[in-house]
Amino acid sequence: MTEKKIIAVVGATGAQGGGVVRAILSDKGGPFTVRAITRDVNSDGAKALKAMGAEVVAGDVDDAASLTRAFQGCYGAFGVTFYWAHMSPDREKAQAANIAKAAKAAGLSHVIWSTLEDTRKYVPVTDDRMPTLMGHYKVPHFDTKGESDHHFAELGVPTTYLLASFYWENFISFGAGPKKGPDGVLALTMPIGAAKMAGVASDDIGAVAYGILKQGPSLIGQRIGVAGEHLTGAEMASKLTKALGQPVRFNNVPAAVYRSFGFPGADDLGNMFQFYDEFEKVCNDMRDVEKSRRLHPGLQSFDQWLAKHAGKIPLE
Ligand SMILES: NC(=O)c1ccc[n+]([C@@H]2O[C@H](COP(=O)([O-])OP(=O)(O)OC[C@H]3O[C@@H](n4cnc5c(N)ncnc54)[C@H](OP(=O)(O)O)[C@@H]3O)[C@@H](O)[C@H]2O)c1
């Protein structure tokens, strides 16, 4: 039997990295095995990965040396950073640079870097259609990732740039699900007008990443978006209505109103939804559903995702 190649997975106990781990380990006859990276090898999440068959090692994206150690001897890696854990653009950019430097130091053959658009290429900071945030950004959690791509390119790390979409899990755990209005009717509030927005089951991001690793060197240097379906707010509300068995209205507020909601990150997300709306073609051409399906034939539609997860959506 030929020895399996090791893929190091950052964020292995989380959504994207966890999807990579599950995709690799569920393909028993596949070419790869997993080295899961976590800050706490004794956490319940880490133990669950061990039980699934992953090697679990310590590593922290804030600490490049720990990543270099964790990447040693691996064929490839999946890298993701964690903007919402700290909401600091500088920290996220440093984390991305650490992943690139560690990949270079360990001599990896294929890295998948989970990035997003630098929206300032489309909406320069001088463009006042949306506010500039923290002095430098339009959509901070997108821009910092896109701005960090150059680390991988300049260091000559063999990288595929993977662009995720809006996770449908945000309806369960990120506060983005339908909420009851004063009339008692559920409303899905998103400032995306009539645009179709790319969405995805978060587990499918990792499965597409696995498809990219299997396809291998021909995808190095490419930018590949992942989407399960492109849907308007009205279409999502209609599908939610069927799945939840009660009416869900699409509440198309202006982006400025969304930005004013006041929760942490409301301004960032308001700008993001405005970007998805005004640059619908840019976003959706990048996140091609059929291309995603070719890399992961089990790719889920929103209806398929709802059939499994609608019961977990909190209805307040
Ligand atoms: N939500 C969306 O719709 C969406 C869409 C596109 C992109 N994104 C991006 O996805 C990124 C987050 O990925 P995710 O959703 O997979 O994360 P997640 O599910 O929140 O996973 C977080 C995991 O990352 C690990 N982690 C956190 N800080 C770490 C650190 N300093 N060093 C090493 N590991 C660390 C933690 O593992 P341990 O505790 O085990 O160390 C945790 O289990 C964000 O940057 C976000 O902008 C989100």
Side-chain angles (χ1 to χ4, degrees):
M1 198 180 89
T2 47
E3 208 165 297
K4 293 199 182 215
K5 297 173 183 167
I6 307 168
I7 304 297
V9 179
V10 174
T13 57
Q16 294 194 31
V20 179
V21 173
R22 287 182 282 279
I24 293 177
L25 294 181
S26 62
D27 185 1
K28 300 279 179 225
F32 302 117
T33 184
V34 167
R35 182 176 295 168
I37 299 174
T38 172
R39 290 165 301 173
D40 178 3
V41 297
N42 295 311
S43 71
D44 289 347
K47 284 181 189 152
L49 295 176
K50 244 179 253 172
M52 282 167 67
E55 175 192 6
V56 177
V57 305
D60 189 321
V61 290
D62 289 317
D63 173 1
S66 76
L67 288 183
T68 304
R69 280 193 299 277
F71 288 175
Q72 284 303 331
C74 291
Y75 164 81
F78 176 82
V80 58
T81 46
F82 309 100
Y83 183 81
W84 297 108
H86 46 74
M87 296 173 71
S88 159
D90 287 344
R91 188 163 164 194
E92 181 163 60
K93 288 191 283 188
Q95 294 178 340
N98 285 343
I99 294 172
K101 282 185 224 154
K104 175 73 179 173
L108 299 185
S109 299
H110 195 174
V111 171
I112 299 187
W113 157 233
S114 181
T115 186
L116 287 167
E117 289 91 349
D118 185 336
T119 64
R120 296 165 298 182
K121 289 185 186 149
Y122 307 93
V123 190
V125 286
T126 50
D127 185 330
D128 60 7
R129 76 177 77 193
M130 60 177 75
T132 296
L133 304 178
M134 293 183 255
H136 301 287
Y137 306 100
K138 288 301 187 183
V139 184
H141 76 286
F142 273 50
D143 299 347
T144 51
K145 293 182 181 71
E147 188 184 320
S148 298
D149 291 351
H150 75 95
H151 294 296
F152 295 85
E154 284 164 13
L155 288 171
V157 176
T159 304
T160 302
Y161 301 83
L162 183 73
L163 286 84
S165 311
F166 178 89
Y167 311 169
W168 293 317
E169 281 74 8
N170 294 334
F171 295 143
I172 300 173
S173 53
F174 200 65
K179 306 262 181 316
K180 284 207 168 112
D183 56 359
V185 178
L186 289 168
L188 182 68
T189 299
M190 278 183 183
I192 55 171
K196 284 187 184 284
M197 186 178 75
V200 72
S202 63
D203 225 34
D204 286 344
I205 301 167
V208 168
Y210 176 50
I212 293 170
L213 287 165
K214 274 195 300 186
Q215 195 158 318
S218 64
L219 297 180
I220 288 169
Q222 291 201 24
R223 298 178 74 75
I224 297 177
V226 185
E229 205 168 358
H230 302 157
L231 293 166
T232 62
E235 286 166 342
M236 282 186 266
S238 156
K239 289 175 183 299
L240 283 160
T241 297
K242 283 196 203 105
L244 297 172
Q246 56 176 303
V248 178
R249 196 175 51 220
F250 173 47
N251 183 26
N252 176 32
V253 294
V257 170
Y258 195 97
R259 283 189 284 269
S260 74
F261 284 161
F263 62 84
D267 48 3
D268 186 334
L269 294 174
N271 284 5
M272 175 192 80
F273 284 124
Q274 188 176 342
F275 179 70
Y276 269 122
D277 178 7
E278 294 183 13
F279 293 86
E280 177 185 15
K281 186 167 161 46
V282 168
C283 294
N284 290 343
D285 284 356
M286 171 52 68
R287 295 167 176 79
D288 186 87
V289 175
E290 286 320 309
K291 191 168 179 182
S292 302
R293 184 164 287 114
R294 281 196 294 278
L295 289 161
H296 168 42
L299 188 79
Q300 295 161 78
S301 65
F302 189 41
D303 280 335
Q304 287 171 318
W305 181 86
L306 281 169
K308 281 193 255 172
H309 300 285
K312 297 178 216 158
I313 298 174
L315 302 178
E316 306 136 20

